[in-house]
Amino acid sequence: SAGTINWASTGGATTNNDNAAGSSVCYDAILGEIILVGGTNSASGSSCTYGSVNFTSTGGNDIVLLEVTASNGTFVSGKVVGGTATEDALASCYDSSTGDVFLSGYYGSGSITFGGTTLTNSGSGTEDIFYARYNPSTDVFTWAKSAGANSTGSDRARSICSDGSGGIIIGGVISPGTSNFPTASSPLTLSNTRTTGGDPFLVRVDAATGNAT
C-alpha cells in the first residue's frame, strides 16, 4: 500500500554489451506468477542469468520470456528464442479460458524455433510478425505462428489481448505489400498498397490453434 516497493528483481548477460529490456508483463492468476517478455542483446553463446534461471544467447537480439513469483520476485523459469538477427517480444496477455499466456512481436532471422515449431521468415532482409501460445504450468510453447509481407519492410505485432471467449486479438503494423496470416485453409491476406510506410492491422486468432478467424 501507499506505493511501497515490495521487491525488485533483475538479471541479464554477463557480457558488457547486454541490452536486455522487458517490454510487457501479465499475471497468471492460477500459478500466482508474473510473466515478463522482452529481449536481450548479447553475443552468441553468452550466458544470461536471472536468479537461478540460466540460458545461452543465440546472438543478436533474442526473445526472452521469464516466469516470476508474484509474491517475492523470484525467477522461476525462462525461455529464449532467436537466430542471428534481431527478434523481440513486444506484448503479452493472460487468457483465462486456457490458463495460458500469449505473446507477440517480430523476428528478423531467417527462421526461429518455439519449442517444436519453427517459423520461417517470408523474405530476405525483412522483419516478420510472430505470435505464440505458452503454457506456464509445463513451460511449453503450444503453438507459434508467423505473418508478414514478402518485402524489405518491417511487420510487427505490437499489442495482444484476450477477448475472454476463446479469441486472441493482435494489433500492429504491416509494411507495403501483402501480409498472410495463417488460417485453417487459405491464408487471410491483408494489403498495404502504399510504396512506403506502414499500415495498422487488427486480427483475431483462435486461442486453441492460432489460426486467424
Side-chain angles (χ1 to χ4, degrees):
S1 61
T4 302
I5 297 175
N6 294 310
W7 52 259
S9 299
T10 189
T14 56
T15 55
N16 292 329
N17 66 338
D18 180 45
N19 292 301
S23 298
S24 178
V25 295
C26 62
Y27 179 63
D28 182 336
I30 295 176
L31 296 180
E33 292 180 353
I34 296 168
I35 311 299
L36 168 68
V37 302
T40 182
N41 186 0
S42 308
S44 179
S46 297
S47 176
C48 298
T49 302
Y50 298 85
S52 61
V53 178
N54 297 280
F55 51 77
T56 301
S57 172
T58 63
N61 198 86
D62 292 337
I63 297 160
V64 173
L65 181 150
L66 294 162
E67 295 181 45
V68 184
T69 302
S71 61
N72 57 23
T74 300
F75 291 104
V76 178
S77 65
K79 295 286 186 181
V80 62
V81 176
T84 58
T86 299
E87 285 79 48
D88 207 352
L90 303 177
S92 65
C93 72
Y94 175 75
D95 175 52
S96 60
S97 68
T98 61
D100 286 352
V101 170
F102 295 79
L103 60 152
S104 65
Y106 68 93
Y107 69 103
S109 297
S111 64
I112 58 173
T113 300
F114 291 82
T117 304
T118 297
L119 305 181
T120 301
N121 199 300
S122 62
S124 175
T126 70
E127 290 177 345
D128 273 4
I129 294 159
F130 82 83
Y131 44 102
R133 174 180 170 179
Y134 176 76
N135 185 329
S137 298
T138 60
D139 300 340
V140 171
F141 287 105
T142 306
W143 53 253
K145 301 288 184 178
S146 177
N150 188 12
S151 67
T152 57
S154 177
D155 306 298
R156 298 186 176 189
R158 299 180 179 274
S159 182
I160 192 167
C161 69
S162 166
D163 67 7
S165 301
I168 303 297
I169 313 300
I170 303 166
V173 60
I174 55 173
S175 58
T178 57
S179 296
N180 295 318
F181 289 79
T183 72
S185 54
S186 299
L188 170 66
T189 298
L190 301 181
S191 297
N192 177 346
T193 59
R194 296 188 294 164
T195 56
T196 60
D199 277 355
F201 78 87
L202 192 65
V203 171
R204 182 187 189 272
V205 303
D206 180 56
T209 65
N211 291 324
T213 58

